[in-house]
């Protein structure tokens, strides 16, 4: 029996699988697509997601394949420059197509020994006191499987066209139409789509200058219209649909896309050779719970919202980063009571705030006179640096603070990559362990040295004598009192174990 089955090989599932393997968890990823689709639904990584990659030593793989954009226009398309002093060492959006992000994360997962099972649909799920059984069948077959055959240690005995996989835990990272969520019976309340947008990656028959001029003029009356160069002569056209399609799972045709572009811009730019066509609505839904026994949800399986502001993929990556070390601790047996439940407690409110954020942005994109008046007012308010900073930090997730109770102002916040005398903070987090960064030289993590690294170093940027960081980089404690530190360590890192005293690096 495996430790964890991750359903879905999108960015969320891939990062989660890699995080689990970093801690030695036996994990298999089950994906319905027989091969990566190559579709680039998302085009960028916000600052917090860039920090996540940096904390695991992955950022250098991504930077050469992306482009840094320190520009405005991310809150409802209002074109204001970013504040100069964002609380991050990465004050930019990393423009990088989703298919490239997925490829790099899949490579990371494979390097760590993640097992992949592609071309399989999940068709059944049941759990008991010791684990979860997941029935799978070849994609499209929808044939139910059966229990593993006696003596099959992997729990993968084929039964006709189906099979049953067995693991201690399952995480559904299988998108907005999540089969795992539906099989669990988890409610997905929210608002259905009221508007629809068409999207196409196509080639055009006009010059970049002509296209930019027409788009600029059209956006004066329709801010939901746009064209983005993707390289190699491809453009992403985005245009409001004419109402809601009867079958919203079916992609639009090229003719349908061109007709809507002509209606908005007066020309279809000679669009041809589509690489990908899709439609999306403005529905917002949030799962009632992220955990049901031994089964958890992450990414779009737990929350859906319009792509306004580019937060969807990023929100899923940050779910995975929060969950990975906690689930690994549960598998390893040292997780304190409530640690796994803290995943829902911390991430559910974050997703709820993102849904509200995208609702607000969607309203500001309306062509109705009232919405346009509010948009003009918000644009004026964003000229104030603190307003601009507040809105940008909400989109980039830099303002996220988990509720750890009263204490130091840093408590619950993610720690930026501060400079140290011997390097940088994030370089100390690559192994995914806890970290005590100690500027006093007097503290100790004796009893937790198997889970927490102790580093003595100094930083002019660290406003505390010492900080205890969880594996996801959030501050679990700050201060200089050893007794207070020992009182906080068990909350996140379990009971102490007899061990040789930790040696400061």
């Amino acid at each position: 029996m495996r430790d964890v089955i991750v359903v879905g090989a999108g960015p969320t599932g891939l990062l989660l699988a890699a995080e689990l393997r970093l801690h030695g968890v036996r994990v298999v990823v089950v994906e319905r697509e027989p091969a990566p689709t190559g579709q680039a639904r998302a085009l960028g990584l916000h600052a917090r997601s860039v920090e996540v990659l940096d904390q695991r030593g992955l950022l250098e793989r991504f930077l050469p394949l992306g482009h840094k954009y320190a520009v405005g226009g991310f809150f409802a398309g209002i074109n204001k420059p970013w504040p100069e002093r964002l609380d991050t060492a990465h004050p930019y959006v990393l423009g990088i197509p989703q298919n490239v992000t997925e490829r790099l994360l899949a490579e990371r997962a494979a390097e760590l020994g993640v097992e992949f099972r592609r071309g399989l649909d999940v068709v059944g799920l049941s759990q008991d006191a010791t684990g979860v059984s997941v029935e799978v069948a070849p994609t499209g077959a929808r044939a139910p499987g059966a229990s593993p055959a006696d003596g099959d240690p992997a729990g993968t005995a084929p039964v006709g066209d189906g099979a049953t996989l067995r693991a201690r835990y399952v995480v559904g990272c299988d998108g907005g139409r999540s089969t795992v969520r539906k099989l669990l019976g988890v409610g997905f309340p929210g608002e259905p789509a009221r508007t629809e947008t068409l999207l196409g990656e196509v080639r055009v028959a006009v010059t970049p200058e002509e296209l930019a001029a027409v788009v600029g003029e059209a956006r004066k009356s329709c801010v939901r219209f746009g064209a983005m160069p993707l390289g190699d002569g491809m453009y992403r056209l985005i245009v409001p649909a004419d109402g809601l399609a009867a079958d919203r799972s079916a992609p639009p045709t090229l003719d349908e896309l061109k007709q809507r572009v002509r209606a908005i811009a007066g020309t279809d730019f000679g669009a041809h050779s589509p690489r990908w066509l899709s439609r999306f609505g403005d529905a917002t839904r949030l799962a009632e719970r992220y955990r049901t026994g031994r089964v958890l949800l992450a990414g779009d399986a737990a929350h859906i919202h319009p792509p306004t502001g580019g937060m969807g993929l990023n929100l899923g990556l940050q779910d995975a980063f929060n969950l990975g070390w906690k689930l690994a601790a549960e598998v390893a047996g040292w997780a304190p009571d409530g640690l796994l439940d803290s995943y829902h407690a911390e991430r559910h409110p974050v997703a709820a705030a993102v849904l509200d954020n995208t609702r607000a942005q969607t309203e500001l994109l309306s062509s109705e006179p009232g919405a346009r008046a509010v948009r003009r007012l918000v644009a004026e308010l964003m000229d104030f640096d603190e307003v601009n900073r507040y809105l940008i930090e909400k989109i980039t997730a830099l303002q996220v603070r988990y509720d750890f109770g009263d204490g130091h102002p840093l408590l619950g916040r993610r720690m930026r990559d501060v400079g140290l005398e011997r390097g940088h903070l994030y370089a100390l987090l690559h192994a995914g362990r806890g970290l005590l960064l100690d500027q006093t030289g007097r503290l100790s993590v004796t009893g937790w040295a198997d889970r927490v690294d102790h580093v003595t170093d100094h930083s002019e940027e660290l406003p505390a004598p010492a900080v205890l960081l969880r594996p996801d980089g959030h501050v679990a404690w700050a201060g200089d009192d050893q007794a207070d530190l020992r009182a906080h360590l068990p909350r996140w890192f379990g009971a102490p174990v007899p061990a040789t005293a930790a040696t400061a690096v």
Side-chain angles (χ1 to χ4, degrees), residues 10 24 38-39 46 64 72 93 129 140 164 184 194 202 241 243 271 283 285 380 382 392 411 420 464 490 497:
Q39 296 176 354
H46 283 308
V93 172
T164 298
L184 282 175
R194 298 176 301 166
V202 299
R285 296 188 181 278
E380 292 176 9
M382 288 180 70
I392 293 302
L411 194 64
L420 305 172
V497 295

Side-chain angles (χ1 to χ4, degrees), residues 480-499:
D480 60 3
D481 183 80
Q482 179 65 44
D484 191 39
L485 170 62
R486 288 189 64 86
H488 281 79
L489 278 162
R491 176 178 180 182
W492 302 110
F493 299 102
V497 295

Side-chain angles (χ1 to χ4, degrees), residues 360-376:
Q361 291 188 68
T362 300
E363 291 297 322
L364 294 178
L365 293 173
S366 170
S367 59
E368 293 296 320
R372 293 178 67 81
V374 176
R375 179 183 176 84
R376 289 191 293 270

Side-chain angles (χ1 to χ4, degrees), residues 157-284:
V159 182
D161 289 331
T164 298
L165 308 180
R166 179 87 173 159
R168 295 171 65 184
Y169 293 90
V170 168
V171 185
C173 304
D174 51 339
R177 297 183 174 89
S178 170
T179 299
V180 173
R181 186 188 67 242
K182 293 173 183 176
L183 289 172
L184 282 175
V186 172
F188 204 38
E191 299 84 41
R194 298 176 301 166
T195 64
E196 190 168 277
T197 303
L198 307 184
L199 181 152
E201 293 185 0
V202 299
R203 297 187 182 278
V204 298
V206 298
T207 66
E209 293 77 16
E210 181 181 352
L211 185 143
V214 173
V215 170
E217 186 64 27
R219 282 181 58 82
K220 292 179 181 179
S221 58
C222 182
V223 292
R224 288 171 56 204
F225 177 72
M228 179 182 298
L230 301 175
D232 298 327
M234 299 294 294
Y235 284 83
R236 172 170 287 192
L237 297 181
I238 303 175
V239 62
D242 184 13
L244 297 175
D247 181 5
R248 297 190 47 246
S249 65
T253 64
L254 177 61
D255 285 342
E256 183 181 355
L257 177 72
K258 292 170 67 173
Q259 180 182 3
R260 290 303 299 155
V261 171
R262 286 195 301 270
I264 299 297
T267 174
D268 60 19
F269 307 114
H272 64 95
S273 305
R275 181 168 64 187
W276 176 47
L277 297 167
S278 183
R279 69 176 80 240
F280 60 86
D282 61 348
T284 53

